[in-house]
Amino acid sequence: MMKTDTRKINFGAGPAMLPPEVLLQASQAVLDYNQSGMSILEIPHRGQLCRDMIDECTALVKELCGIGDDFHVIWQQGGGRQQFCMIPLNFLRPDATAGFLISGHWSKEAMEYAHFYGNVNEVASSEPMKFNCLPAIPVDFSQELAYLHYTTNNTIFGTQWHDIPQSGAVPLIADMSSDILSSERDYSRFSLFYAVAQKNLGAAGNCLVAIRKDFLDRQVSAKLPPSFDFKAQVAERSVLNTANAFAIYVTLLMLKWIKAKGISSINADNKLKSSILYRSIDDSPSFVPYVANKAHRSNMNVCFFPVNPDVEARFNILCKQNNITGIAGHRSAGGYRVSLYNAISIQNVQLLSEIIASI
Ligand code: PMP
């Protein structure tokens, strides 16, 4: 086991820090999965061990999200971008239009991918404000849309939709990659939601997709290659191709960790962590927050800028001395970005805030 005193405090946006107990159990499973005499890397994906593991993971997601048998849950390997393709392939006719709320890089990329398959409508966008706030949704947007897609948390610029947008009769689809299971949310409001695992749910190489059954019935194309066909993936129960058993297992461990803590306590901790950090930035003469509107600020990714290169140099040195890593802003945004996913402790955030206050 990695010594805790040498372990870095990783505020990276994903792959993100995992709890030590999850890392320990995952490493034990690499040597011997559940006393099966086989490594998790060796178990057959269609065998009972893997089947039971995937079923447990699916049941736990349904329980934690409060969704029942009206949803299918599947596990996919191609990350967020695979879903940017699969969703329009399955639910957007070439002559139909999908709506998008553009609050950052990833929502825009999802729209650009959808445009390969059908028409897209930018219902609202905060791009003119360089994504430093959420866009205002027009009350009278078209109800003729095949679906409305948005990104619940803007990983790169640090905004978050704390309330679920009203979409009227239009099916609502959400990319929840950077804030799934970080707070209480009515997941039943969505026709489809998805989340890559490498932030709040474990390791890269696994993506949760939950699809309402009556929405899947509306699938528009009957002629899709099985790998990109949600119905085929559902029918094969996530093992259409060789499943990434290890990544799914890490998600299972994370889900158990989340369940043991409880979503309401995770939510309270996340709010506390972000308030500690924002307060130190707001109070500091040396840093400016990227998102001024407090109601739009993300509890998951906090973005800020140093006021001059001297501050930047001193901050970088202090972070290095304190074993802190992963705080550089995204290459398209610059500055700093601190990610406060579920596994980041309050103590880690307090340490960073004290460093900010000391500059
Ligand atoms: N959506 C969001 C909200 C993200 O933060 C990211 C980046 N991890 C993606 C999608 C893209 O995910 P991937 O790199 O797995 O394609």
Side-chain angles (χ1 to χ4, degrees):
M1 177 70 176
M2 206 186 314
K3 279 178 37 214
T4 40
D5 52 353
T6 55
R7 186 159 152 72
K8 287 213 159 74
I9 303 173
N10 179 8
F11 287 111
M17 206 163 171
L18 293 170
E21 55 268 45
V22 165
L23 292 177
L24 180 62
Q25 290 173 77
S27 64
Q28 282 165 346
V30 170
L31 298 175
D32 184 3
Y33 177 66
N34 277 359
Q35 291 155 358
S36 63
M38 291 173 91
S39 164
I40 183 82
L41 304 175
E42 300 168 339
I43 62 168
H45 60 294
R46 291 185 208 285
Q48 202 56 45
L49 282 174
C50 193
R51 182 72 269 148
D52 290 347
M53 196 246 308
I54 294 175
D55 287 349
E56 195 180 353
C57 216
T58 300
L60 215 39
V61 158
K62 286 189 172 182
E63 182 187 332
L64 291 169
C65 292
I67 53 172
D69 275 343
D70 37 357
F71 275 85
H72 295 293
V73 170
I74 51 170
W75 306 94
Q76 305 277 274
Q77 294 182 44
R81 291 168 177 90
Q82 182 188 351
Q83 297 314 312
F84 295 172
C85 304
M86 281 187 74
I87 292 164
L89 262 170
N90 283 266
F91 298 110
L92 182 60
R93 281 183 209 286
D95 58 350
T97 303
F100 289 81
L101 302 180
I102 306 298
S103 59
H105 173 93
W106 295 113
S107 46
K108 194 173 169 195
E109 197 164 312
M111 182 175 78
E112 287 164 359
Y113 273 54
H115 207 184
F116 281 94
Y117 307 104
N119 302 312
V120 294
N121 175 348
E122 198 178 276
V123 170
S125 172
S126 55
E127 192 168 17
M129 281 75 77
K130 298 198 170 67
F131 299 126
N132 70 359
C133 60
L134 295 171
I137 309 172
V139 276
D140 58 345
F141 73 89
S142 166
Q143 294 291 299
E144 300 302 312
L145 301 171
Y147 55 83
L148 180 68
H149 179 284
Y150 82 112
T151 310
T152 50
N153 180 72
N154 171 5
T155 326
I156 293 181
F157 298 95
T159 58
Q160 185 175 19
W161 297 87
H162 296 289
D163 296 315
I164 301 173
Q166 295 295 338
S167 63
V170 179
L172 192 57
I173 294 185
D175 173 357
M176 303 186 183
S177 292
S178 50
D179 70 355
I180 191 151
L181 295 177
S182 66
S183 64
E184 282 131 330
R185 169 179 284 154
D186 184 357
Y187 290 88
S188 69
R189 292 263 309 271
F190 298 88
S191 292
L192 186 155
F193 59 90
Y194 61 102
V196 300
Q198 63 264 26
K199 298 163 197 295
N200 271 332
L201 282 188
N206 188 27
C207 181
L208 156 73
V209 186
I211 315 170
R212 189 174 272 287
K213 288 180 179 168
D214 55 10
F215 186 59
L216 187 58
D217 291 340
R218 293 207 214 168
Q219 192 194 41
V220 293
S221 172
K223 253 189 120 196
L224 290 173
S227 305
F228 292 94
D229 179 346
F230 277 131
K231 278 197 174 152
Q233 291 283 1
V234 163
E236 294 290 337
R237 298 169 72 199
S238 306
V239 291
L240 188 145
N241 64 317
T242 313
N244 187 343
F246 181 66
I248 299 174
Y249 182 60
V250 181
T251 294
L252 176 60
L253 296 174
M254 269 312 284
L255 291 169
K256 287 182 176 172
W257 183 88
I258 291 170
K259 184 177 170 179
K261 264 193 107 175
I263 297 279
S264 68
S265 125
I266 283 185
N267 186 19
D269 281 4
N270 286 335
K271 282 186 177 161
L272 180 62
K273 288 184 291 183
S274 66
S275 69
I276 292 171
L277 187 55
Y278 282 122
R279 196 177 321 123
S280 66
I281 298 164
D282 286 335
D283 289 349
S284 168
S286 304
F287 297 94
V288 279
Y290 189 64
V291 179
N293 186 333
K294 293 187 178 169
H296 294 188
R297 285 178 171 177
S298 166
N299 290 328
M300 295 281 99
N301 310 96
V302 177
C303 300
F304 53 100
F305 284 82
V307 292
N308 61 44
D310 176 51
V311 163
E312 183 175 358
R314 282 191 288 143
F315 186 51
N316 289 347
I317 290 170
L318 283 172
C319 286
K320 200 165 177 205
Q321 283 171 351
N322 283 280
N323 228 4
I324 289 171
T325 190
I327 56 168
H330 187 265
R331 58 186 185 275
S332 65
Y336 294 104
R337 169 180 52 175
V338 172
S339 299
L340 304 175
Y341 302 127
N342 291 349
I344 296 284
S345 71
I346 295 169
Q347 290 79 355
N348 289 342
V349 181
Q350 271 162 342
L351 172 66
L352 186 67
S353 299
E354 280 161 23
I355 294 174
I356 289 172
S358 74
I359 295 179

Coordinates of all heavy atoms in Angstrom, one line a residue, residues 11-81:
F11 N -5.7 17.4 -6.7 CA -6.9 18.1 -7.0 C -7.2 18.1 -8.5 O -7.9 19.0 -9.0 CB -6.7 19.6 -6.5 CG -6.8 19.8 -5.1 CD1 -5.6 20.2 -4.4 CD2 -7.9 19.6 -4.3 CE1 -5.6 20.4 -3.0 CE2 -8.0 19.8 -2.9 CZ -6.8 20.2 -2.3
G12 N -6.7 17.1 -9.2 CA -6.9 17.0 -10.7 C -8.4 16.8 -11.1 O -9.2 16.3 -10.3
A13 N -8.7 17.2 -12.3 CA -10.1 17.2 -12.7 C -10.6 15.9 -13.2 O -11.7 15.7 -13.6 CB -10.3 18.3 -13.8
G14 N -9.7 14.9 -13.2 CA -10.0 13.6 -13.7 C -9.0 13.1 -14.7 O -8.8 13.8 -15.7
P15 N -8.4 11.9 -14.5 CA -8.6 11.0 -13.4 C -8.4 11.7 -12.0 O -7.4 12.4 -11.9 CB -7.6 9.9 -13.6 CG -7.3 10.0 -15.1 CD -7.4 11.4 -15.5
A16 N -9.3 11.4 -11.1 CA -9.3 12.1 -9.8 C -8.9 11.2 -8.7 O -8.8 10.0 -8.9 CB -10.7 12.7 -9.6
M17 N -8.7 11.8 -7.6 CA -8.2 11.1 -6.4 C -9.3 10.1 -5.9 O -10.5 10.4 -6.0 CB -8.0 12.1 -5.3 CG -7.0 11.7 -4.3 SD -6.5 13.2 -3.3 CE -5.5 12.3 -2.0
L18 N -8.8 8.9 -5.5 CA -9.7 7.9 -5.0 C -9.4 7.7 -3.5 O -8.3 7.9 -3.0 CB -9.5 6.6 -5.7 CG -9.9 6.6 -7.2 CD1 -9.5 5.4 -7.9 CD2 -11.4 6.8 -7.3
P19 N -10.4 7.3 -2.7 CA -10.2 7.1 -1.3 C -9.2 5.9 -1.1 O -9.2 4.9 -1.9 CB -11.6 6.6 -0.8 CG -12.5 7.1 -1.8 CD -11.8 7.1 -3.1
P20 N -8.3 6.0 -0.1 CA -7.2 5.0 0.1 C -7.8 3.6 0.2 O -7.3 2.6 -0.3 CB -6.5 5.4 1.4 CG -6.9 6.8 1.6 CD -8.2 7.1 0.9
E21 N -9.0 3.5 0.9 CA -9.6 2.2 1.1 C -10.1 1.6 -0.2 O -10.0 0.3 -0.4 CB -10.7 2.2 2.2 CG -11.8 3.2 1.9 CD -11.6 4.5 2.6 OE1 -10.5 5.1 2.5 OE2 -12.6 5.1 3.2
V22 N -10.5 2.4 -1.1 CA -10.9 1.9 -2.5 C -9.7 1.4 -3.2 O -9.7 0.3 -3.8 CB -11.6 3.0 -3.2 CG1 -11.8 2.7 -4.7 CG2 -13.0 3.2 -2.6
L23 N -8.6 2.2 -3.1 CA -7.3 1.8 -3.8 C -6.8 0.4 -3.2 O -6.4 -0.4 -4.0 CB -6.3 2.8 -3.6 CG -6.5 4.2 -4.3 CD1 -5.4 5.2 -4.0 CD2 -6.6 3.9 -5.8
L24 N -6.9 0.3 -1.9 CA -6.5 -0.9 -1.3 C -7.3 -2.1 -1.8 O -6.7 -3.2 -2.2 CB -6.5 -0.8 0.2 CG -6.1 -2.0 1.0 CD1 -4.6 -2.3 0.8 CD2 -6.3 -1.8 2.5
Q25 N -8.6 -2.0 -1.8 CA -9.4 -3.1 -2.2 C -9.3 -3.4 -3.7 O -9.2 -4.6 -4.1 CB -10.9 -2.8 -1.9 CG -11.3 -2.8 -0.4 CD -12.7 -2.3 -0.2 OE1 -13.6 -3.0 -0.4 NE2 -12.8 -1.0 0.2
A26 N -9.1 -2.4 -4.5 CA -8.9 -2.6 -5.9 C -7.6 -3.3 -6.1 O -7.5 -4.2 -7.0 CB -8.9 -1.2 -6.6
S27 N -6.5 -2.9 -5.4 CA -5.3 -3.6 -5.6 C -5.3 -5.1 -5.1 O -4.7 -5.9 -5.8 CB -4.1 -2.8 -4.9 OG -4.3 -2.8 -3.5
Q28 N -6.1 -5.3 -4.1 CA -6.2 -6.7 -3.6 C -6.9 -7.6 -4.7 O -6.6 -8.7 -4.9 CB -7.0 -6.8 -2.3 CG -6.1 -6.4 -1.1 CD -6.9 -6.1 0.2 OE1 -8.1 -5.9 0.1 NE2 -6.1 -6.0 1.3
A29 N -7.9 -6.9 -5.3 CA -8.7 -7.7 -6.4 C -7.8 -8.0 -7.6 O -8.1 -8.9 -8.3 CB -9.9 -6.9 -6.8
V30 N -6.8 -7.2 -7.8 CA -5.9 -7.5 -8.9 C -5.1 -8.8 -8.6 O -4.8 -9.6 -9.5 CB -4.9 -6.3 -9.1 CG1 -3.8 -6.7 -10.1 CG2 -5.6 -5.1 -9.7
L31 N -4.8 -9.0 -7.3 CA -4.1 -10.3 -6.9 C -5.1 -11.4 -6.8 O -4.8 -12.5 -7.3 CB -3.4 -10.1 -5.6 CG -2.3 -9.0 -5.7 CD1 -1.7 -8.7 -4.3 CD2 -1.2 -9.3 -6.7
D32 N -6.2 -11.2 -6.2 CA -7.2 -12.3 -6.0 C -8.6 -11.7 -5.9 O -8.9 -11.1 -4.8 CB -6.8 -13.1 -4.8 CG -7.7 -14.4 -4.6 OD1 -8.6 -14.6 -5.5 OD2 -7.5 -15.1 -3.6
Y33 N -9.4 -11.9 -6.9 CA -10.8 -11.3 -6.8 C -11.7 -12.1 -6.0 O -12.0 -13.3 -6.3 CB -11.3 -11.1 -8.2 CG -12.7 -10.5 -8.2 CD1 -13.0 -9.3 -7.7 CD2 -13.8 -11.3 -8.6 CE1 -14.2 -8.7 -7.7 CE2 -15.1 -10.8 -8.6 CZ -15.3 -9.5 -8.1 OH -16.6 -9.0 -8.0
N34 N -12.1 -11.6 -4.8 CA -13.1 -12.2 -3.9 C -12.8 -13.7 -3.7 O -13.6 -14.6 -3.7 CB -14.5 -12.2 -4.6 CG -15.2 -10.8 -4.3 OD1 -14.6 -10.0 -3.6 ND2 -16.4 -10.7 -4.8
Q35 N -11.5 -14.0 -3.4 CA -11.0 -15.3 -3.1 C -11.4 -16.3 -4.2 O -11.7 -17.5 -3.9 CB -11.5 -15.8 -1.7 CG -10.9 -15.0 -0.6 CD -11.7 -14.9 0.6 OE1 -12.8 -15.5 0.7 NE2 -11.2 -14.3 1.6
S36 N -11.4 -15.9 -5.4 CA -11.8 -16.8 -6.5 C -10.6 -17.5 -7.0 O -10.7 -18.4 -7.9 CB -12.4 -16.0 -7.7 OG -11.4 -15.0 -8.2
G37 N -9.4 -17.1 -6.6 CA -8.2 -17.7 -7.1 C -7.8 -17.0 -8.5 O -6.9 -17.5 -9.1
M38 N -8.5 -16.0 -8.9 CA -8.2 -15.3 -10.1 C -8.2 -13.8 -9.9 O -8.9 -13.3 -9.0 CB -9.4 -15.6 -11.1 CG -9.4 -17.0 -11.6 SD -10.9 -17.2 -12.6 CE -10.2 -16.9 -14.2
S39 N -7.3 -13.2 -10.7 CA -7.3 -11.7 -10.6 C -8.6 -11.2 -11.3 O -9.1 -11.8 -12.2 CB -6.1 -11.2 -11.4 OG -6.2 -9.9 -11.7
I40 N -9.0 -10.0 -10.9 CA -10.1 -9.3 -11.5 C -9.8 -9.0 -13.0 O -10.6 -8.9 -13.8 CB -10.4 -7.9 -10.8 CG1 -11.6 -7.2 -11.4 CG2 -9.2 -7.0 -10.8 CD1 -12.9 -7.6 -10.9
L41 N -8.5 -9.0 -13.3 CA -8.0 -8.8 -14.7 C -8.2 -10.1 -15.5 O -8.1 -10.0 -16.7 CB -6.6 -8.3 -14.7 CG -6.3 -7.0 -13.9 CD1 -4.8 -6.7 -13.9 CD2 -7.1 -5.9 -14.5
E42 N -8.4 -11.2 -14.9 CA -8.5 -12.5 -15.6 C -9.9 -13.0 -15.7 O -10.1 -14.0 -16.4 CB -7.6 -13.5 -14.8 CG -6.2 -13.1 -14.7 CD -5.4 -14.0 -13.7 OE1 -6.0 -14.7 -12.9 OE2 -4.2 -14.1 -13.9
I43 N -10.9 -12.5 -14.9 CA -12.2 -13.2 -14.8 C -12.9 -13.0 -16.2 O -12.8 -12.0 -16.8 CB -13.0 -12.7 -13.7 CG1 -13.4 -11.2 -13.8 CG2 -12.4 -13.0 -12.3 CD1 -14.5 -10.7 -12.8
P44 N -13.6 -14.1 -16.7 CA -14.3 -14.0 -18.0 C -15.5 -13.0 -17.9 O -16.2 -13.0 -16.9 CB -14.7 -15.4 -18.2 CG -14.6 -16.1 -17.0 CD -13.7 -15.4 -16.0
H45 N -15.6 -12.2 -18.9 CA -16.6 -11.1 -18.8 C -18.0 -11.7 -18.9 O -19.0 -11.1 -18.5 CB -16.4 -10.1 -19.9 CG -16.4 -10.6 -21.3 ND1 -15.5 -11.4 -21.8 CD2 -17.3 -10.3 -22.3 CE1 -15.8 -11.7 -23.0 NE2 -16.8 -11.1 -23.4
R46 N -18.2 -12.9 -19.4 CA -19.6 -13.5 -19.5 C -19.8 -14.5 -18.3 O -20.8 -15.2 -18.3 CB -19.8 -14.2 -20.8 CG -19.9 -13.2 -21.9 CD -20.3 -13.9 -23.3 NE -19.8 -13.1 -24.4 CZ -20.3 -11.9 -24.8 NH1 -21.4 -11.5 -24.2 NH2 -19.7 -11.3 -25.8
G47 N -18.8 -14.7 -17.5 CA -18.9 -15.6 -16.4 C -19.7 -15.0 -15.2 O -20.0 -13.8 -15.2
Q48 N -20.1 -15.9 -14.2 CA -20.9 -15.5 -13.2 C -20.3 -14.4 -12.3 O -21.0 -13.5 -11.8 CB -21.3 -16.7 -12.3 CG -22.6 -16.6 -11.5 CD -23.8 -16.2 -12.4 OE1 -24.0 -16.7 -13.4 NE2 -24.5 -15.2 -11.9
L49 N -19.0 -14.5 -12.1 CA -18.3 -13.5 -11.2 C -18.5 -12.1 -11.7 O -18.9 -11.2 -11.0 CB -16.8 -13.8 -11.1 CG -16.3 -15.0 -10.2 CD1 -14.8 -15.2 -10.4 CD2 -16.7 -14.7 -8.7
C50 N -18.3 -12.0 -13.0 CA -18.4 -10.7 -13.6 C -19.9 -10.2 -13.7 O -20.2 -9.1 -13.4 CB -17.8 -10.7 -15.0 SG -17.5 -9.1 -15.7
R51 N -20.7 -11.2 -14.0 CA -22.2 -10.9 -14.1 C -22.7 -10.3 -12.8 O -23.4 -9.3 -12.7 CB -22.9 -12.2 -14.5 CG -24.4 -12.1 -14.7 CD -24.9 -11.4 -15.9 NE -25.1 -10.0 -15.7 CZ -24.8 -9.0 -16.6 NH1 -24.4 -9.3 -17.8 NH2 -25.0 -7.7 -16.3
D52 N -22.3 -11.0 -11.7 CA -22.8 -10.6 -10.4 C -22.2 -9.2 -10.0 O -22.9 -8.4 -9.4 CB -22.3 -11.6 -9.3 CG -23.0 -13.0 -9.4 OD1 -24.0 -13.0 -10.1 OD2 -22.6 -13.9 -8.8
M53 N -21.0 -9.0 -10.4 CA -20.3 -7.7 -10.1 C -21.0 -6.6 -10.8 O -21.4 -5.5 -10.3 CB -18.8 -7.8 -10.5 CG -18.0 -6.7 -9.9 SD -17.4 -5.6 -11.1 CE -16.6 -6.6 -12.4
I54 N -21.3 -6.8 -12.1 CA -22.0 -5.7 -12.9 C -23.4 -5.5 -12.4 O -23.9 -4.4 -12.2 CB -22.0 -6.1 -14.4 CG1 -20.6 -6.1 -15.0 CG2 -22.9 -5.1 -15.2 CD1 -20.5 -6.6 -16.4
D55 N -24.1 -6.6 -12.0 CA -25.5 -6.5 -11.5 C -25.5 -5.7 -10.2 O -26.4 -4.9 -9.9 CB -26.1 -7.9 -11.3 CG -26.5 -8.5 -12.6 OD1 -26.4 -7.8 -13.7 OD2 -26.8 -9.7 -12.6
E56 N -24.5 -6.0 -9.3 CA -24.4 -5.3 -8.1 C -24.2 -3.8 -8.3 O -24.8 -2.9 -7.6 CB -23.3 -5.9 -7.2 CG -23.4 -5.5 -5.8 CD -22.3 -6.1 -4.9 OE1 -21.5 -6.9 -5.4 OE2 -22.2 -5.7 -3.7
C57 N -23.3 -3.5 -9.2 CA -23.0 -2.1 -9.6 C -24.3 -1.4 -10.1 O -24.6 -0.3 -9.6 CB -22.0 -2.2 -10.7 SG -20.8 -0.9 -10.6
T58 N -25.0 -2.0 -10.9 CA -26.2 -1.5 -11.5 C -27.3 -1.3 -10.4 O -27.9 -0.2 -10.4 CB -26.7 -2.4 -12.6 OG1 -25.7 -2.6 -13.6 CG2 -28.0 -1.9 -13.2
A59 N -27.4 -2.2 -9.6 CA -28.4 -2.1 -8.5 C -28.1 -1.0 -7.6 O -29.0 -0.2 -7.1 CB -28.5 -3.4 -7.7
L60 N -26.8 -0.8 -7.3 CA -26.4 0.3 -6.4 C -26.6 1.6 -7.0 O -27.0 2.6 -6.3 CB -24.9 0.0 -6.0 CG -24.4 0.4 -4.6 CD1 -25.4 0.0 -3.6 CD2 -23.0 -0.3 -4.4
V61 N -26.3 1.8 -8.3 CA -26.5 3.0 -9.0 C -28.0 3.4 -8.9 O -28.4 4.5 -8.6 CB -26.1 3.0 -10.4 CG1 -26.8 4.0 -11.3 CG2 -24.6 3.2 -10.5
K62 N -28.9 2.4 -9.2 CA -30.3 2.6 -9.1 C -30.7 3.1 -7.8 O -31.5 4.0 -7.6 CB -31.1 1.4 -9.6 CG -31.0 1.1 -11.1 CD -31.9 0.0 -11.5 CE -32.0 -0.2 -13.0 NZ -32.9 -1.2 -13.4
E63 N -30.2 2.4 -6.8 CA -30.6 2.8 -5.4 C -30.1 4.2 -5.0 O -30.9 5.0 -4.5 CB -29.9 1.7 -4.4 CG -30.2 2.0 -3.0 CD -29.4 1.0 -2.1 OE1 -29.0 -0.1 -2.5 OE2 -29.2 1.5 -0.9
L64 N -28.8 4.5 -5.3 CA -28.3 5.8 -5.0 C -28.9 6.9 -5.8 O -29.0 8.1 -5.3 CB -26.8 5.8 -5.1 CG -26.0 4.9 -4.1 CD1 -24.5 4.8 -4.5 CD2 -26.1 5.5 -2.7
C65 N -29.3 6.7 -7.0 CA -29.9 7.7 -7.8 C -31.4 7.7 -7.6 O -32.1 8.6 -8.1 CB -29.7 7.5 -9.3 SG -27.9 7.7 -9.8
G66 N -32.0 6.8 -6.9 CA -33.4 6.7 -6.6 C -34.2 6.5 -7.9 O -35.3 7.0 -8.1
I67 N -33.6 5.7 -8.8 CA -34.4 5.3 -10.0 C -34.7 3.9 -10.0 O -34.0 3.1 -9.4 CB -33.6 5.7 -11.3 CG1 -32.2 5.0 -11.3 CG2 -33.5 7.2 -11.6 CD1 -31.4 5.1 -12.6
G68 N -35.8 3.5 -10.5 CA -36.3 2.1 -10.4 C -36.2 1.4 -11.7 O -35.3 1.6 -12.5
D69 N -37.1 0.4 -11.8 CA -37.1 -0.4 -13.0 C -37.5 0.2 -14.3 O -37.5 -0.4 -15.3 CB -37.9 -1.7 -12.7 CG -37.1 -2.7 -12.0 OD1 -35.8 -2.6 -12.0 OD2 -37.7 -3.6 -11.4
D70 N -37.9 1.5 -14.2 CA -38.2 2.2 -15.4 C -37.0 2.7 -16.1 O -37.1 3.4 -17.2 CB -39.2 3.4 -15.2 CG -39.0 4.1 -13.9 OD1 -38.1 3.7 -13.1 OD2 -39.7 5.1 -13.6
F71 N -35.8 2.4 -15.6 CA -34.5 2.8 -16.2 C -33.7 1.5 -16.5 O -33.7 0.6 -15.8 CB -33.7 3.7 -15.3 CG -34.0 5.1 -15.4 CD1 -35.1 5.7 -14.6 CD2 -33.3 6.0 -16.2 CE1 -35.4 7.0 -14.7 CE2 -33.6 7.4 -16.3 CZ -34.6 7.9 -15.5
H72 N -33.0 1.6 -17.7 CA -31.9 0.7 -18.0 C -30.6 1.3 -17.5 O -30.5 2.5 -17.7 CB -31.8 0.4 -19.5 CG -32.9 -0.3 -20.1 ND1 -33.3 -1.6 -19.8 CD2 -33.8 0.1 -21.0 CE1 -34.3 -2.0 -20.5 NE2 -34.7 -0.9 -21.3
V73 N -29.7 0.6 -16.9 CA -28.4 1.1 -16.7 C -27.4 0.2 -17.4 O -27.4 -1.0 -17.2 CB -28.1 1.1 -15.1 CG1 -26.7 1.5 -14.8 CG2 -29.0 2.1 -14.4
I74 N -26.5 0.9 -18.1 CA -25.5 0.1 -18.8 C -24.1 0.8 -18.6 O -24.0 1.9 -18.2 CB -25.7 -0.1 -20.3 CG1 -26.0 1.3 -21.0 CG2 -26.8 -1.1 -20.6 CD1 -26.0 1.2 -22.5
W75 N -23.1 0.0 -18.8 CA -21.7 0.4 -18.6 C -20.9 0.4 -19.9 O -20.9 -0.7 -20.6 CB -21.0 -0.4 -17.5 CG -21.8 -0.5 -16.3 CD1 -22.8 -1.4 -15.9 CD2 -21.9 0.5 -15.2 NE1 -23.4 -1.1 -14.7 CE2 -22.8 0.1 -14.3 CE3 -21.2 1.7 -15.0 CZ2 -23.1 0.8 -13.1 CZ3 -21.5 2.4 -13.8 CH2 -22.4 2.0 -12.9
Q76 N -20.4 1.5 -20.3 CA -19.7 1.6 -21.6 C -18.3 2.1 -21.4 O -17.9 2.6 -20.4 CB -20.5 2.7 -22.5 CG -22.0 2.4 -22.6 CD -22.3 1.4 -23.7 OE1 -22.4 1.8 -24.9 NE2 -22.4 0.2 -23.3
Q77 N -17.5 1.8 -22.5 CA -16.0 2.0 -22.3 C -15.5 3.3 -23.0 O -14.4 3.7 -22.8 CB -15.3 0.8 -22.9 CG -15.5 -0.4 -22.0 CD -14.7 -1.6 -22.5 OE1 -13.6 -1.5 -22.9 NE2 -15.4 -2.7 -22.6
G78 N -16.2 3.9 -23.9 CA -15.7 4.9 -24.8 C -15.7 6.4 -24.2 O -15.5 7.3 -24.9
G79 N -16.0 6.5 -22.9 CA -16.0 7.8 -22.3 C -17.1 8.7 -22.7 O -18.1 8.3 -23.3
G80 N -17.0 10.0 -22.3 CA -18.0 11.0 -22.6 C -18.2 11.1 -24.1 O -19.3 11.2 -24.6
R81 N -17.1 11.1 -24.8 CA -17.2 11.4 -26.3 C -18.0 10.3 -27.0 O -18.6 10.5 -28.0 CB -15.8 11.5 -26.9 CG -15.2 12.8 -26.4 CD -13.7 12.8 -26.8 NE -13.0 14.0 -26.5 CZ -12.3 14.2 -25.4 NH1 -12.4 13.3 -24.4 NH2 -11.7 15.3 -25.2

